[in-house]
């Protein structure tokens, strides 16, 4: 087991290729308004004190992964044992940010955001940096949102609801508070940090997942 403190920009490989897959025992995306609101409150509290020269740190818990080698020759692949709720929500927040940006004024920032969500030179499942489970339509909903399309109707997934909530909140912030999208992106990428725990192949991921979550949300 190896543990490192990583900024979110490094979790997303600083725009390089990386692929996180949810193992079969992971539940569906389960966060709701309480968790979304708490996360956004934390993010904008950091935004208020953000400084480029010395970015404040905000700890978001742990991501537990198992390295599954590489695909397509160069793409590192990890099974995401724990931390899917946070990583999925941050990814959806990036999607919301990209959708709200003006294509002409913020074209460069849109490209930066897209590189945190997609492996641009890959196709199929490997095109996505994060691949949720198939449960309740999570994967189908997430993948269409990430590529800029509307989520499918009639799915039980909470991912479309999360995306709608995050988009509405950001839109209101842009209009009422004059939020600088570049500053916000920097907060998400450099101030938000996790403990990145990389398990050895021989370690038992399900037992570790259960141990980490025995006090968590059922």
């Amino acid at each position: 087991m190896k543990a490192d403190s990583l900024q979110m920009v490094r979790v997303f490989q600083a725009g390089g290729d990386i692929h996180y897959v949810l193992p079969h025992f992971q539940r569906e995306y389960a966060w709701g308004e309480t968790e979304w609101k708490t996360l956004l409150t934390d993010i904008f509290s950091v935004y208020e004190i953000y400084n480029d020269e010395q970015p404040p740190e905000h700890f978001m818990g742990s991501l537990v992964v198992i390295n599954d080698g590489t695909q397509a020759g160069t793409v590192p692949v990890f099974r995401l044992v724990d931390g899917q709720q946070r990583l999925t929500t941050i990814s959806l927040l990036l999607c919301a940010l990209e959708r709200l940006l003006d294509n002409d004024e913020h074209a460069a920032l849109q490209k930066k955001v897209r590189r945190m969500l997609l492996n641009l030179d890959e196709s199929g499942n490997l095109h996505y940096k994060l691949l949720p489970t198939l449960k309740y339509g999570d994967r189908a909903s997430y993948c269409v949102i990430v590529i800029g399309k509307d989520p499918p109707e009639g799915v039980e997934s909470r991912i479309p609801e999360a995306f709608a909530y995050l988009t509405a909140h950001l839109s209101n912030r842009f209009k009422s508070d004059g939020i600088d999208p570049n500053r916000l992106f920097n907060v998400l990428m450099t101030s938000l940090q996790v403990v990145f725990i990389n398990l050895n192949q021989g370690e038992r991921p399900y037992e570790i997942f259960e141990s980490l979550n025995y006090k968590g949300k059922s």
Side-chain angles (χ1 to χ4, degrees), residues 119-132:
N119 299 318
L120 298 175
D121 294 326
E122 304 301 332
S123 59
N125 288 341
L126 208 57
H127 186 53
Y128 305 91
K129 288 186 184 286
L130 174 65
L131 200 64

Side-chain angles (χ1 to χ4, degrees), residues 1-8 10-11 59 61-65 78 193-199:
M1 180 185 293
K2 181 182 177 183
D4 295 294
S5 176
L6 295 186
Q7 297 171 320
M8 290 306 301
R10 290 187 60 197
V11 171
F59 177 62
S62 60
L63 296 181
V64 183
V65 304
F78 294 91
Q193 299 191 12
V194 296
V195 173
F196 192 86
I197 302 172
N198 196 347
L199 303 179

Side-chain angles (χ1 to χ4, degrees), residues 10-73:
R10 290 187 60 197
V11 171
F12 291 116
Q13 204 77 341
D17 289 346
I18 198 164
H19 186 60
Y20 297 100
V21 181
L22 275 294
H24 65 87
F25 56 76
Q26 277 276 21
R27 67 184 176 204
E28 72 281 1
Y29 180 75
W31 271 17
E33 185 171 348
T34 298
E35 291 84 8
W36 304 329
K37 186 175 181 179
T38 299
L39 176 63
L40 289 166
T41 298
D42 290 345
I43 288 170
F44 283 103
S45 294
V46 176
Y47 177 92
E48 293 301 324
I49 61 172
Y50 180 80
N51 185 310
D52 277 328
E53 295 182 3
Q54 193 172 1
E57 297 178 355
H58 180 73
F59 177 62
M60 290 191 62
S62 60
L63 296 181
V64 183
V65 304
I66 294 180
N67 191 327
D68 272 348
T70 61
Q71 291 185 22

Side-chain angles (χ1 to χ4, degrees), residues 168-184:
H169 187 92
L170 279 193
S171 179
N172 289 336
R173 285 278 190 164
F174 286 153
K175 293 174 183 176
S176 63
D177 300 337
I179 294 297
D180 178 357
N182 285 286
R183 180 185 174 102
L184 178 59

